[in-house]
Amino acid sequence: MSRSYEHTTVEARWQVYWEREGIFRATEDASRPKYYCLEMFPYPSGRIHMGHVRNYAIGDVVARYKRMRGFNVLHPMGWDSFGLPAENAAIERGVHPDVWTHENILYMRSQLCRLGLSYDWTREVATCEPGYYKWNQWFFLKMYEKGLAYRKRSSVNWCPSCETVLANEQVEEGLCWRCDAVVIQKELEQWFFKITDYAEELLRGLTTLTGWPERVLVMQRNWIGKSLGVEVDFPLAEPKPDLPAIRIFTTRQDTIFGATFMSVAPESPLVERLIEGRPQAASVREFVVRVSRQDKAVRTDADREKEGIFTGAYAVNPFTQARIPIWVANFVLYEYGTGAIMAVPAHDQRDFDFAKQYGIPIKLVIQNQAGSLTEDRLDGAYEEQDTAGRLVNSDRFSGLSVPEAKTKIAAFVEEQGLGRRTVNYRLRDWGLSRQRYWGTPIPMIYCRACGVVPVPERDLPVELPKDVPFTGKGSSPLAQVKEFVQAACPKCHGQARRETDTMDTFVDSSWYFLRYCSPQADRQPVDPAASGYWMAVDQYIGGIEHAVLHLLYARFFTKVIRDLGLTKADEPFLNLLTQGMVTKETYRCATHGWLLPSDLLGSEGEGWRCAICQGVAQKGRVEKMSKSKKNVVDPERLIDTFGADTARLFSLFAAPPEKDLEWSDSGVEGAFRFLNRVWRLLGDLAGTLHAERGTSNEREAEPVAPQVLELRRLTHRTIKKVTDDIERDFQFNTAIAALMEFVNGLYKFAAERHADRSGTPAPGEAAAFGEAAEALVLLLAPFAPHVAEELWEVLGRAPSVAQQPWPQYDPALVASERLTIPIQVNGKLRSKVEVPADSTEEHVLAMAKQDAKISEWLQGKPTRKVIYIEKKLVNFVV
RNA sequence: GCGAGAGUGGCGGAACUGGCAGACGCGCGAGACUUAGGAUCUCGUGGGAAACCGUGGGGGUUCAAGUCCCCCCUCUCGCACCA
C-alpha cells in the first residue's frame, strides 16, 4: 500500500462502520466487569468548542482503553438542553427555544460523530424532552412528600439581567455566575430543596472519594462549612414574656467572659422587638432599611466597613452578669447560626474593629504566653485557638488552655441549662425556582380553597406549552399563558392557578448519569436493576468550574434517589478528573481591542500591527479561549484540515489532562505529521510482511539476531510504558511520546534493514516486525481510532481494532540485556560504562576504574568512599 | 487574609520512591532526495572558547537535590466578615 493518508475518507468509513455494527452499544452483562465512563454532557449552544474536544477526547481514550482491557463499558452522551440561551435566541431572533435547541442538538451530534467518539448513541438523553423532565417533576413530588421540597418567602439573590433568582452557589463575588450582572436582593416566595438535611452525609461522603482531586474536596468541604459550637441564651435586661432572652451561636465559648456587647443581624425580626417603644427605634429602622437595600456585591465586599447602631436594649452576660448593650451590625448574617452573636472584641477581629469604632469596652480573657497583652494597648484581636493562650478573668476557668476551655465551658453551659452544644453549616438550602420559560415546570397548583396542592403523579408530565410570548420583559413568559396558568385543583376540582416558575437547570444534570443506565424506562426514572449493574460512574471527566455547583447537587440527588430505593450508590462519581482549560495567546490593539489572528499583520520578530488601523498590536496573555477575547479555534475547521485523529492526538499530547492546554498551530501539524509517519511506515512494510509471513512462523523457535531482539525489547518496553502511563492518572501525553519514540525506533530499524539487504532476512525479523506493527496499531487505537482501524486492516486483520484485547508485554523482554551505568566522581558525571545487566558490583567497579576518563580523575587521590547503586550509578568520593 | 497548585531550554512539556536534568513534540541549523520544497528522510540543537555553569531567589541536609527541610519572591485558581 502506498496510498497517502486521506483522513476524510478513512474517518468517514470507520464512523459508518462503528455505527452500523453497533460496536459501542452497551448491554448489562453480569458475567463481565462493568466500567462506566462519563464526560459532562454539553449545553447545546450551537457548535462544539475546543473545550468539548478536549473533554471528550480524554473520555474516549479512557472508554476505548477500558474496553480493550475487557471491561463492559458504558459510555453515553446526551444534552443538557434546558437553559437561558435558548430563550434569548427566541427573544432576539424569534426562533422558538424548542426549535433552536433541537437544531443545535442535531448539528452538535454530527460534530461529535465526526470526532469518532465511542458513544452508545442509543442511550442519548435530552433534558428538555418531556420524557426526561417528567422525572424531574416526579422527583420533586417525592421530595415534597418527604418534606425535602418546601416553599418559603425569603430574601433571594436576584439577577436583574437574567430576571431570575439564583442559588447561593450561583453568585460569584456578588455577580451572576452566568452573565456577571450585579446580584440584588429581592423578597420572593420560592421553592427550596432541603439539601441541608444531607449536609452531614455530604460532608462525610467526601472522605470516601479517594479518586477525587484534593482541591475539589476542599472546595466542597468549605462550602458545606461545618462548625461545632454552642448556642447560649443571653437573658434580656428587661425581659418580655415572649422574649426572655436572645439566643446566640458561637464556636468560641471559651471567650464568653469577654463578651461585652451583642450584635443582631439587620434582617432579624428581633430588631423590631428590641426597639419597641424606645427613642432609638426610628434611627435603627432607617439603618436596617439602608443596609438591606445594599446589593450583594457591596455587602460581601471584603473591606466593607463595619457599621452598626445601638438598639437601646441590654442583655445580661450569663457568665459575668454584666449588663451589655445590644447592637444591630451590618456584618452579622441573619441566615447563619441564630442571626445574633455575642461580641468579644478582645478575641475576634470583627468585634474588635466594631468596638473601637463605637467606643465599646474591651475585656481580655485570653493571655498569651509572654503575658504581654493589656486591654488598653491591644492593636488587634488576639485570636489564638491553640494551646499557646491561657484563660484569664474567667472565674473558675482561668488558667485553662483554649481547647480545654472550649470543652469545659460547653459542658458547663449544658449543665447549667444555659444552652446546648450544636453544629452549624454554612450550606443553605437550594433555591430552585426560576422565573423562566425554558425549564421544567414545577408541578404544583395553588387552590384558593385547598392551598398548595401537588400535581398527581398520573398527570405528569406537566408539559411546557409551545405557544408562548417571548418579550424578554416582565415576569416569566409562562405566567402570560392563560391555558397553562388556569388549572383545576386536583383535590376539589375548583378553579386554581398553576405554578409558573420552572426549575433551576442544575436539577436536570443532577441525575442524568442515572438515567443513562436505563434511558427508556417509562415506569420510573431509573430502573434499579440497571442502575445496580452500572452505578456508580467509575470515571467522571469535566471542567473544574463545576467543583461545587453541579458536583454537590449531583451528590445530593444521588443520596435522595438512593433513599427512594432506585439505586444503591451512595456517591455518583468514584473517580473525578478535572481537565484544564484550552488556552491561546491573545492580541490587542489600543483602539480596536482584542484582535482576531486574521486582523494581525507582522510577525513575532518584527512585532505585530493591527490590520484595521495599522497601529501597534500588543501580544497579550495566554487566556482561556473565548469569543470575547477573539482567540478561539473552531474544531470543525481543524477536523476539515487535519482530521479528527489529529485533533484528538494533539489535545491529548500537548499537556497532561488536568493542566491547561495551550493551543499551538504547529503542534497540531506535529500531531498530523506523526500520524502520517505511522501510516507510511506500516503501509510500506505491510507488503514485505505479507510476503514473508508464510516463512516466518518461527517466533521464538530459532535463535534471533541481536538487532531483532532489540526490536522486540523496544516493542515490549513501549507496551509497558503506554499501559503504565494510562493507568497512572491518564498521563496520555507521555504515553503518546512513547509511541512516537517507538515509531522513530521502527523507522531506524527499517532503514538499517534496507541498508544491509543482502537477500536473506535476519532470523526472526519478520515476526518481530509483525509483532511491533501490531502492537503499535493496538496501542494507538484509543488515541487515533480511525487510523488504527484502517491500519489494522492493512495488517491483514479483521475489524474492529476497538474490540481487540490490549497487548501484553513480556517482563523478560522489558529488562535490557546491557546497561549503561553513569560514573560520577564527587557527585559529578565524568563517564559512562556499558555492562551486562547481571554484572556484579565488583565487575562494574572494575570497569569503572578501567575507564580512561575515570582513572584520570581518580589519579593520585585516595578514594574515600565508593557509592554503588545497583543498575543505576557509581560515585567515587575522593 | 486563608486554602490549594505551579515556577525547568527559544516554546509546549518529560524526569514514578533523592541517582545521567531537558524524554517527546514544536522551532531552529546542517545534509540527502529533488526542476522545486513550506513534502519526505538522516543528523545536530540548554548556556559557555574552555574550565565550568545551569530546574524562580537565598540558605541547609546528603556521596548525590528539579525532587527532602527552612526562609523569601512571582503567578494561577478557589474561599473571603459563616461568629
Side-chain angles (χ1 to χ4, degrees), chain A residues 720-740:
Chain A
K720 177 168 167 34
K721 171 77 175 150
V722 173
T723 309
D724 289 353
D725 283 351
I726 295 176
E727 292 289 341
R728 176 170 61 96
D729 282 332
F730 307 125
Q731 298 298 299
F732 303 134
N733 55 331
T734 50
I736 294 168
L739 288 175
M740 289 171 168

Side-chain angles (χ1 to χ4, degrees), chain A residues 148-166:
Chain A
L148 287 171
Y150 67 96
R151 194 168 137 89
K152 77 172 182 204
R153 186 170 186 83
S154 70
S155 172
V156 292
N157 307 305
W158 177 264
C159 171
S161 155
C162 300
E163 296 195 327
T164 191
V165 164
L166 299 173

